[in-house]
Amino acid sequence: MNELVESIRKLKEEKNALILAHYYQRGEIQDIADYVGDSLALAQWAAKTDADIIVMCGVHFMGETAKILSPDKKVLVPDMNAGCSLADSCPADRFERFVKEHPEYTVVSYVNTTAAVKAVTDVVVTSTNARQIVESFPEDEKIIFGPDQNLGNFINSVTGRNMLLWDGACHVHEKFSVEKIVELKAAHPEAVVLAHPECKGAVLRLADVVGSTAALLKYAVSHPEKTYIVATESGILHEMRKKCPNTEFIPAPPSDESCGCNECEFMRLNTLEKLYECLKNESPEIKVDPEIARKAVKPIQRMLEISERLKL
Ligand code: 13P
């Protein structure tokens, strides 16, 4: 293992590569990355790096976003099969038809979408900035929000907006068991429930803090004396435990298993071995159709500009 880690580090230096990892990646991938962050931070780092190669340890749409923002760089993803159920729940042809049926609407899309969906979007958001970006529009602005219906419903509830929602969801966040979280709360009455807004409304109503992975981590780091029940993909626990070694973090369980954590099998496809191979071979490489990239870059840059203005 140490040898593999050393070889990856050497290759990274030789090739002037930057390794980015999402909080949902395997712990050993997070440990070797130059930066670990949420979807917004990954896009921000990808946009400003002067590395020649970006290795995106995450899922496909994250690699696409990096490539769109840095078209002259080589963007690699260790396993090209690392997809996203949420992005898959929003096929570009159907979404484009939906958008055309509502010409007076502004289109706000979650970053968990394909480049083709972003190409018919006015502004992209992540879970870190969705609320603020939606609130930056006048109150009577007609807005389509896609594809995550749970996040859309949450943003509607906290902003008082009535956005038209696409019927998409993340298969991991949909799976949390309300009953098991209630049982955990009864067993740990002092515990704070942290939940990602991709969770169903019934789970969010049990939560004390709702936020992006970065926001949930920040909350835990600033209150390390508490105990936490964590309702998001269990990869985040790696960084939480690293930053708060004396804090108890309990992963909220999914409904389809008797115990255990809720893992995204796509995020887990990236391994140290595949990371090494991908750096060595400079493959698999993310490619985005130039015409789609030309359209998709505008709503992503708009998101980055608003986020910078709001210091997010
Ligand atoms: P954030 O990275 O914005 O917390 O969202 C998590 C996610 O859905 C990654 O696919």
Side-chain angles (χ1 to χ4, degrees), residues 79 109 134 138 163-164 189 217 249 261:
D79 190 321
S109 292
V134 167
M163 300 187 296
L164 199 52
L217 177 66
F249 294 101
C261 325

Side-chain angles (χ1 to χ4, degrees), residues 22 24 38-39 61-62 110 112 126-127 196 198 212-213 267:
H22 190 270
Y24 294 163
D38 69 351
S39 305
F61 77 81
M62 295 172 179
Y110 198 29
N112 301 42
T126 74
S127 55
H196 195 280
E198 288 175 28
S212 64
T213 46
M267 286 281 180

Side-chain angles (χ1 to χ4, degrees), residues 12 20 36 55 58 87 97 108 112 115 134 144 147 152 155 185 189 222 247 249 264-265 278 286 289 305:
K12 190 176 79 80
L20 299 177
V36 186
V55 186
R97 220 175 308 134
V108 178
N112 301 42
V134 167
I144 285 176
I155 301 294
K185 271 172 75 95
S222 52
T247 302
F249 294 101
C264 172
E265 65 274 31
C278 117
I286 293 273
D289 177 272
E305 280 156 23

Side-chain angles (χ1 to χ4, degrees), residues 20 38-48 56 65-66 69 111 300 303-304:
L20 299 177
D38 69 351
S39 305
L40 175 62
L42 295 180
Q44 288 168 328
W45 287 317
K48 65 179 184 215
M56 183 58 78
T65 304
L69 287 167
V111 72
I300 304 174
M303 168 184 80
L304 293 180

Side-chain angles (χ1 to χ4, degrees), residues 2-278:
N2 279 347
E3 229 171 88
L4 188 55
V5 167
E6 245 348 278
S7 310
I8 293 171
R9 291 217 169 99
K10 241 171 92 187
L11 272 176
K12 190 176 79 80
E13 296 304 318
E14 273 167 34
K15 300 197 177 207
N16 187 28
L18 177 78
I19 301 178
L20 299 177
H22 190 270
Y23 289 125
Y24 294 163
Q25 290 290 287
R26 293 168 184 271
E28 61 271 25
I29 297 251
Q30 295 188 41
D31 289 343
I32 203 173
D34 293 295
Y35 297 105
V36 186
D38 69 351
S39 305
L40 175 62
L42 295 180
Q44 288 168 328
W45 287 317
K48 65 179 184 215
T49 181
D50 51 16
D52 297 315
I53 295 176
I54 300 170
V55 186
M56 183 58 78
C57 297
V59 290
H60 190 267
F61 77 81
M62 295 172 179
E64 267 191 348
T65 304
K67 181 69 186 174
I68 292 166
L69 287 167
S70 284
D72 302 331
K73 318 256 180 228
K74 196 172 260 191
V75 178
L76 310 173
V77 174
D79 190 321
M80 214 34 117
N81 292 317
C84 170
S85 60
L86 185 47
D88 290 347
S89 71
C90 189
D93 55 341
R94 277 182 47 214
F95 191 71
E96 187 169 4
R97 220 175 308 134
F98 182 62
V99 166
K100 283 193 175 139
E101 283 162 13
H102 300 88
E104 71 281 26
Y105 279 67
T106 295
V107 182
V108 178
S109 292
Y110 198 29
V111 72
N112 301 42
T113 44
T114 60
V117 166
K118 291 184 177 81
V120 294
T121 290
D122 294 301
V123 61
V124 168
V125 298
T126 74
S127 55
T128 284
N129 55 29
R131 178 181 183 159
Q132 291 92 331
I133 290 182
V134 167
E135 283 179 332
S136 72
F137 290 105
E139 270 178 44
D140 58 353
E141 184 95 9
K142 291 187 160 101
I143 298 175
I144 285 176
F145 185 91
D148 192 290
Q149 198 166 63
N150 294 325
L151 176 62
N153 273 323
F154 174 72
I155 301 294
N156 274 342
S157 75
V158 293
T159 60
R161 305 288 171 121
N162 187 23
M163 300 187 296
L164 199 52
L165 307 181
W166 183 262
D167 183 15
C170 159
H171 75 303
V172 176
H173 287 92
E174 280 269 294
K175 258 193 333 206
F176 285 109
S177 162
V178 172
E179 292 71 23
K180 288 181 184 171
I181 296 173
V182 169
E183 281 168 25
L184 274 177
K185 271 172 75 95
H188 304 271
E190 76 294 357
V192 173
V193 178
L194 304 176
H196 195 280
E198 288 175 28
C199 294
K200 288 182 290 195
V203 169
L204 297 181
R205 282 189 285 280
L206 293 172
D208 300 295
V209 181
V210 177
S212 64
T213 46
L216 299 181
L217 177 66
K218 190 171 168 194
Y219 187 90
V221 168
S222 52
H223 305 88
E225 71 287 0
K226 297 186 190 288
T227 297
Y228 293 98
I229 298 169
V230 185
T232 189
E233 210 273 355
S234 56
I236 185 73
L237 275 83
H238 181 74
E239 187 70 7
M240 286 177 166
R241 287 176 175 143
K242 246 169 105 170
K243 290 238 162 82
C244 309
N246 300 316
T247 302
E248 188 180 5
F249 294 101
I250 307 164
S255 47
D256 58 355
E257 282 165 38
S258 55
C259 64
C261 325
N262 199 355
E263 291 186 351
C264 172
E265 65 274 31
F266 299 117
M267 286 281 180
R268 307 285 145 159
L269 283 176
N270 296 323
T271 61
L272 276 186
E273 287 78 9
K274 289 180 198 169
L275 172 54
Y276 170 74
E277 288 296 322
C278 117

